[in-house]
Amino acid sequence: MRFSTATLAAAFALLPAAYAWDNYKNTCYLKRDTGIAGSVLDIQCSNSNGDYQQTNVDLNNCITNDNSNLACSPGAGGYAGSCSNCSFSGTFTNDGGPGTMCCDCWSTDGSHTERKCIDTNSCIGNNEGALTC
């Protein structure tokens, strides 16, 4: 059976947005009493109905230290064991943007640390109001 491109596009357009995974910067925000504690990001995210709810994710489960470079690694993670002095930008400004995390991370051989940053929006998403790797 063959489907035209237009038919497939129309079918996908009918799928509900509720099943879409989106980087969280578009649908979540930091409140005064939320933010990052240790490696846990705790923020408010909206679902497909537009309702906001409190949600969190442990960034240590989503991000790894790959020889002094922070990288997305859903389910494996583990950056917290070899990185320190981490800072997180939760503001919507031009300073690296919302969700930029910077840490001092050790090299694989343990000889030195480097200050590295990662846009956590590439590693974490909002799935119906819940943060996920």
Side-chain angles (χ1 to χ4, degrees), residues 53-126:
Q53 59 193 37
Q54 195 72 28
T55 182
N56 63 62
V57 66
D58 188 344
L59 299 175
N60 198 46
N61 294 329
C62 307
I63 299 171
T64 191
N65 173 12
D66 182 16
N67 196 28
S68 296
N69 291 300
L70 293 170
C72 299
S73 183
Y79 80 90
S82 57
C83 297
S84 61
N85 301 319
C86 296
S87 61
F88 188 83
S89 169
T91 60
F92 287 83
T93 64
N94 293 325
D95 64 350
T100 299
M101 183 176 77
C102 299
C103 300
D104 296 328
C105 297
W106 285 98
S107 61
T108 303
D109 65 6
S111 64
H112 66 282
T113 62
E114 292 184 41
R115 185 84 175 154
K116 295 294 182 163
C117 299
I118 189 168
D119 178 1
T120 60
N121 291 296
S122 61
C123 305
I124 299 174
N126 175 6

Side-chain angles (χ1 to χ4, degrees), residues 18 27 45-53 126-130:
T27 54
C45 293
S46 67
N47 60 24
S48 59
N49 294 328
D51 300 321
Y52 280 86
Q53 59 193 37
N126 175 6
N127 187 4
E128 271 304 294

